[in-house]
Amino acid sequence: MSTESETILARYKTVEKEADKLGRLIGVRRLRPSEQAKVTGMTPELSGHDEVMTPDGNKVQISHRMPHVIAAAVCMINESPIPFPRNRGELDAIFDKLDAEGLAAAGAALGRLAEDSPVNGAEEAKN
């Protein structure tokens, strides 16, 4: 039986994969809170939001920083490991390597991880 701490830490090791339109297999993992803060520190000029409509007609706010957060969550491309970026140059290199197709696949995979998160599970239990 694992401890609560081990359970929390294990969720950051789960990798979700999605193929992009170019045939690359993109793997992503949840970012730890400290990694999320690092991405924020690397992208201080991207502090705004855009309001977009979802296919079901809901308005949502999308952070200008979100594509970089998705790029930072990428941990593999075609089975080649991608380490968490140490600086903005490394983050931009991952972002550029993904391009639109890889970013879309990474975003879809990261969305599936978010759906399985304990926070979302707690919200669903309330409803």
Side-chain angles (χ1 to χ4, degrees), residues 89-126:
E90 289 182 2
L91 178 60
D92 286 344
I94 298 167
F95 187 64
D96 290 343
K97 186 171 188 170
L98 289 170
D99 211 347
E101 295 85 359
L103 197 60
L110 199 57
R112 287 194 301 275
L113 281 177
E115 288 172 2
D116 293 339
S117 79
V119 172
N120 285 337
E123 288 301 315
E124 289 175 15
K126 287 182 197 176

Side-chain angles (χ1 to χ4, degrees), residues 4 7 14 20 23 29 36-37 64 70 77 79 102 104 108:
E4 187 174 330
T7 302
T14 302
D20 71 6
R29 64 173 182 79
Q36 293 174 28
H64 293 166
I70 293 170
I77 298 175
E79 302 300 328

Side-chain angles (χ1 to χ4, degrees), residues 9-83:
L9 293 175
R11 69 178 169 207
Y12 297 109
K13 294 178 183 176
T14 302
V15 176
E16 184 70 31
K17 299 174 185 176
E18 176 83 14
D20 71 6
K21 290 184 178 181
L22 301 175
R24 299 177 296 178
L25 188 60
I26 312 295
V28 298
R29 64 173 182 79
R30 285 182 183 88
L31 294 179
R32 293 176 174 90
S34 62
E35 292 170 328
Q36 293 174 28
K38 287 175 185 173
V39 173
T40 299
M42 288 182 219
T43 57
E45 76 285 4
L46 300 176
S47 61
H49 291 83
D50 287 323
E51 187 172 271
V52 297
M53 290 288 253
T54 63
D56 58 0
N58 293 320
K59 291 181 185 178
V60 295
Q61 298 277 325
I62 303 292
S63 169
H64 293 166
R65 189 173 285 125
M66 185 53 67
H68 287 81
V69 170
I70 293 170
V74 171
C75 61
M76 63 156 263
I77 298 175
N78 285 337
E79 302 300 328
S80 295
I82 306 290

